Amino acid sequence: MQKTVEQLHYWLIKVPEVFRVMTEAEITQRKKWSKKEVIGHLCDSAIVNLERFLQMQYEASPYVVTTYDQVQWVALQGYQELPIEDILML
């Protein structure tokens, strides 16, 4: 477990460092999603999964996973237009 905590801590430090040296063009260029949108999606996913993990502890078995429209969430949050620092703070 300690190794997992250390790896998580490493990435919490490393990802912002990497993004801060990229140009705005690099982080907003889209393939499917831009790098900004991917980071935003990971924030959305963390929120949704936290709720799922909590519900699994008290809902009847088997727990039924509800889906969410990831593309719509990213669009509604407007990650592409937000400053990268705002997204990284999430």
Side-chain angles (χ1 to χ4, degrees):
M1 184 66 155
Q2 183 61 33
K3 184 176 180 179
T4 302
V5 170
E6 290 169 4
Q7 289 174 334
L8 179 58
H9 185 259
Y10 170 82
W11 287 113
L12 288 172
I13 302 290
K14 188 67 175 174
V15 169
E17 288 175 354
V18 170
F19 270 81
R20 287 183 182 117
V21 298
M22 289 185 198
T23 66
E24 186 67 15
E26 289 175 304
I27 61 176
T28 57
Q29 180 184 8
R30 281 193 171 126
K31 293 181 184 170
K32 177 181 176 184
W33 283 343
S34 70
K35 289 175 175 60
K36 286 169 85 173
E37 291 170 318
V38 169
I39 293 295
H41 162 67
L42 292 174
C43 295
D44 293 344
S45 181
I47 292 166
V48 168
N49 285 321
L50 175 60
E51 182 178 358
R52 289 174 178 165
F53 297 149
L54 292 170
Q55 288 175 341
M56 283 179 203
Q57 296 178 54
Y58 62 82
E59 293 286 331
S61 271
Y63 177 74
V64 177
V65 176
T66 57
T67 61
Y68 69 103
D69 189 333
Q70 300 171 9
V71 174
Q72 186 178 33
W73 277 47
V74 167
L76 289 171
Q77 295 285 27
Y79 292 121
Q80 186 72 348
E81 293 77 32
L82 288 176
I84 190 60
E85 284 300 321
D86 291 0
I87 303 168
L88 293 172
M89 290 300 295
L90 290 174

